[in-house]
Amino acid sequence: MYHHPARVFARIGGDGPAPPPRTVLGRAVVLGASMAGLLAARVLADNAESVLVLDRDDLPPDARPRAGVPQGTQMHVLLPAGRQQIERWFPGFSREALVEGAVLVTAESRRTYHDGRRKVRGSDVDMVAASRPFIEALLRRHTLELPNVTFAHQRATGLEIGGGAVTGVRHDGGTVPADFVVDATGRSSRLGDWLEQAGWERPPMRRLAIGLNYATALFRRTEEHPVPNAVLAGCSPERGGDVAGAGLSAIEDDRWIVMLGGYGHCRPGRDLDDLLRRCREDFPPEFGRVVRNEPIGPVRVYRQADSRRRDFHRLARLPGGLVAVGDAVASFNPIYGQGMSSAGLHASCLSAYLRSGADPRRPARGFFALQRVVVDAAWDMSTSADLARPSVTAPRPRGYRLSRWVSNQIVAASVTDPTIARRFDAVVEMRSHPRSLASPAVLARAVRVNAIRPR
């Protein structure tokens, strides 16, 4: 499995239909009604007699931000890999989202800039644009409509472990028995504390201090079918320093969402006048045109101090019947939009594991081995890019200068060369493993393109 990560990634990320139900569990309990938790519950519904989802929030019936998702007010991107995985588990999800107000973003209707220069068309895959609360509310509704899935408004406080496996979950209201537990409580997960308190190992955690700053604002949208309806303007460390870039998209309820991002002391758009000025002066003209519209509500800011990763696959001792998904395993820099897609891929890892014939009451090493391939791909991509920022001062890994040179060659070539752009976009969209960009032929083409590119 470790020898061919690209093959494992392709198998997990396939777009085939969901496999038929196969009950191998009694009661499964999911901690957290996040995107990752909801998708895990959907998979478990096909493999368990009953599924209970616990969350500390009293979940809203509609698309409202909630306390348990502090980043929910910020611009989110449902990458094609995430959309594909959601469609796998909820066929027709995209069609229903569009009917209810989400916006279809086609290759013709989106634009991408790199250091102010418009990139050639790469990916031909359609995307769906909507706010995070909209996507989560629709997914939550479908998950909780499943006949063997129920929800309880409870905060998990610990695990019951006996005979080498998890036997239950403690929460504010008591204890519930469990044959299988999924931790989807996010980047602040306390699973490590609970394991340590019970005499087990705590998963080692890696952190990369990034100091990411987001500012997001909403504007009234008067055009029904604007072109472009989504724009991404990225800034390289070489040209932009700690300015990460900006993005905008048409979303539901006839709105535009506009986001600016920066690192360290670059804290963009903390008030509306500042955001308007930066959109007009620092980014392509589409941003200035969108922010001429009527603003809706205040500018919302969000800061993420670090990316963090818990390496469950390194544990020598792990109780059976226990896995973790989503940000509880790896919480990446959100500017790359990997979170929701990673959640979908983790769900497919869980399905593959439960259908592999492994005993679900034994330590889930097969699951964590599959999940590691997905986490490695996203973690390596995001941390490598973050380490190039001036304010990110963590030690560079061995070989970083060479890998960064290769990455710069491919990114630069993707601006003007459609072939490189298609390959690059497939990796960024998490449809292909990063190793697909590492072939000598791809690098040689990129170097040739850059050698003849006009300066």
Side-chain angles (χ1 to χ4, degrees):
M1 209 172 293
Y2 296 125
H3 298 298
H4 304 286
R7 294 182 201 170
V8 175
F9 192 91
R11 177 161 56 88
I12 293 300
D15 58 359
R22 177 174 175 265
T23 303
V24 297
L25 294 165
R27 172 183 280 169
V29 179
V30 178
L31 312 181
S34 60
M35 294 286 292
L38 294 170
L39 287 164
R42 167 63 187 89
V43 168
L44 288 167
D46 282 350
N47 294 272
E49 293 174 2
S50 66
V51 182
L52 174 63
V53 180
L54 303 179
D55 198 280
R56 66 183 183 180
D57 285 350
D58 189 7
L59 301 179
D62 53 10
R64 278 179 287 171
R66 59 187 182 93
V69 188
Q71 76 277 23
T73 58
Q74 302 302 306
M75 182 176 177
H76 278 67
V77 177
L78 182 58
L79 298 176
R83 179 187 174 195
Q84 181 173 289
Q85 292 304 306
I86 293 176
E87 282 289 337
R88 184 183 189 202
W89 299 109
F90 294 100
F93 181 91
S94 297
R95 182 176 62 252
E96 184 175 356
L98 294 172
V99 168
E100 296 195 11
V103 176
L104 182 67
V105 178
T106 65
E108 293 80 12
S109 67
R110 62 179 178 259
R111 293 176 187 170
T112 304
Y113 291 83
H114 179 70
D115 288 338
R117 187 175 185 183
R118 185 173 171 183
K119 296 183 66 171
V120 297
R121 175 170 162 177
S123 169
D124 288 325
V125 180
D126 292 342
M127 301 184 188
V128 172
S131 69
R132 165 65 182 263
F134 177 97
I135 296 169
E136 187 175 294
L138 184 57
L139 189 64
R140 182 168 62 240
R141 187 173 78 212
H142 282 295
T143 303
L144 298 182
E145 285 173 352
L146 296 169
N148 60 340
V149 176
T150 56
F151 169 76
H153 178 203
Q154 297 287 351
R155 181 178 65 93
T157 58
L159 299 176
E160 296 286 334
I161 302 175
V166 171
T167 60
V169 174
R170 296 193 295 272
H171 56 76
D172 288 335
T175 301
V176 58
D179 300 303
F180 195 85
V181 174
V182 177
D183 176 26
T185 55
R187 61 187 274 113
S188 299
S189 166
R190 295 191 60 217
L191 181 56
D193 296 336
W194 299 341
L195 288 172
E196 195 170 57
Q197 290 163 9
W200 297 79
E201 291 180 81
R202 171 191 294 271
M205 182 188 288
R206 295 187 240 176
R207 294 177 186 258
L208 177 65
I210 55 173
L212 179 74
N213 308 296
Y214 259 2
T216 294
L218 297 169
F219 295 86
R220 193 77 60 197
R221 175 165 56 88
T222 56
E223 313 98 317
E224 185 176 2
H225 300 293
V227 176
N229 58 11
V231 181
L232 176 65
C235 300
S236 70
E238 291 76 18
R239 292 281 297 275
D242 280 329
V243 177
L248 66 82
S249 178
I251 60 171
E252 78 277 2
D253 297 331
D254 299 319
R255 297 178 295 172
W256 290 104
I257 189 166
V258 178
M259 178 277 294
L260 307 183
Y263 293 81
H265 295 295
C266 178
R267 295 174 178 256
R270 293 181 64 82
D271 60 64
L272 183 60
D273 288 340
D274 181 35
L275 185 140
L276 296 177
R277 178 188 62 79
R278 294 187 189 217
C279 284
R280 294 184 186 120
E281 297 177 3
D282 298 342
F283 296 103
E286 294 92 338
F287 288 85
R289 288 197 293 269
V290 165
V291 300
R292 291 190 197 120
N293 290 281
E294 176 192 357
I296 305 171
V299 177
R300 304 286 186 180
V301 296
Y302 174 72
R303 178 174 172 81
Q304 182 164 310
D306 59 20
S307 297
R308 55 183 69 170
R309 170 179 178 170
R310 297 173 174 92
D311 286 332
F312 286 90
H313 65 275
R314 295 183 182 274
L315 291 177
R317 294 179 63 247
L318 178 72
L322 177 66
V323 301
V325 296
D327 285 359
V329 176
S331 172
F332 314 102
N333 182 339
I335 207 160
Y336 306 114
Q338 299 166 314
M340 292 191 289
S341 294
S342 291
L345 291 166
H346 291 186
S348 289
C349 290
L350 180 59
S351 175
Y353 167 70
L354 291 173
R355 301 183 63 82
S356 68
D359 182 352
R361 298 295 294 158
R362 301 283 296 168
R365 301 197 183 281
F367 167 78
F368 287 117
L370 291 172
Q371 186 188 60
R372 177 186 177 184
V373 173
V374 175
V375 172
D376 280 349
W379 180 264
D380 291 348
M381 266 196 302
S382 64
T383 57
S384 176
D386 288 339
L387 286 169
R389 297 291 171 179
S391 65
V392 178
T393 58
R396 273 54 176 170
R398 181 179 298 177
Y400 177 76
R401 291 181 64 183
L402 176 60
S403 66
R404 188 65 196 165
W405 178 82
V406 170
S407 176
N408 285 344
Q409 289 292 319
I410 291 171
V411 170
S414 73
V415 175
T416 58
D417 184 76
T419 299
I420 299 291
R422 282 191 294 272
R423 281 181 171 265
F424 178 75
D425 285 356
V427 170
V428 170
E429 295 167 357
M430 297 188 74
R431 294 184 292 115
S432 294
H433 192 273
R435 287 195 180 184
S436 65
L437 288 174
S439 73
V442 172
L443 178 58
R445 182 183 182 96
V447 171
R448 288 197 304 271
V449 167
N450 295 330
I452 63 175
R453 186 179 64 176
R455 299 291 177 182

